[in-house]
Amino acid sequence: QVQLVESGGGLVQAGGSLRLSCAASGNTVTINTMGWFRQVPGKQRELVATITSGGSTNYADSVKGRFAISRDGAKNTVYLQMNSLEPEDTAVYYCYATSYRIIWGQGTQVTVSS
């Protein structure tokens, strides 16, 4: 089993930055891709960014050039550096990992004030 614990959310003004972290524990050798989704109440969860075990990354068009995903294999941790934040980035951010199945973290709230 793999467990994910997120941290780093909070309240920030527009134009500011936050860094989210997601630490994996358990049977981490089975993890392939990790990444982040986000969800606003009443809307579907949407992809933000992903990173494979080989380091290939993928971003939603809405965050390209502003967000950067990275991964520390030794710490089994994935990071999401979010810069130039906009009120539209306000959401609950969920970390995920693909193993024998998809595992989700508990979510962390990011609020960007205008």
Side-chain angles (χ1 to χ4, degrees):
Q1 282 282 51
V2 173
Q3 297 82 39
L4 303 174
V5 177
E6 299 131 334
S7 60
L11 173 65
V12 65
Q13 288 189 330
S17 298
L18 282 174
R19 189 175 83 153
L20 305 182
S21 300
C22 174
S25 61
N27 195 10
T28 57
V29 294
T30 64
I31 295 175
N32 184 1
T33 299
M34 297 184 75
W36 297 88
F37 276 67
R38 66 187 180 186
Q39 189 169 25
V40 175
K43 294 189 176 181
Q44 285 191 330
R45 196 171 292 191
E46 64 172 1
L47 174 71
V48 176
T50 64
I51 185 166
T52 67
S53 56
S56 296
T57 59
N58 184 47
Y59 295 93
D61 288 342
S62 60
V63 306
K64 283 180 182 176
R66 301 188 297 122
F67 291 12
I69 190 169
S70 60
R71 187 167 173 173
D72 185 331
K75 295 182 179 179
N76 295 309
T77 299
V78 64
Y79 304 97
L80 185 68
Q81 178 66 42
M82 305 185 293
N83 300 324
S84 302
L85 282 161
E86 304 168 351
E88 292 74 23
D89 296 315
T90 295
V92 177
Y93 284 69
Y94 294 91
C95 175
Y96 85 98
T98 59
S99 176
Y100 297 120
R101 58 183 181 90
I102 297 176
I103 301 103
W104 293 96
Q106 80 282 3
T108 185
Q109 176 71 45
V110 171
T111 303
V112 184
S113 64
S114 57

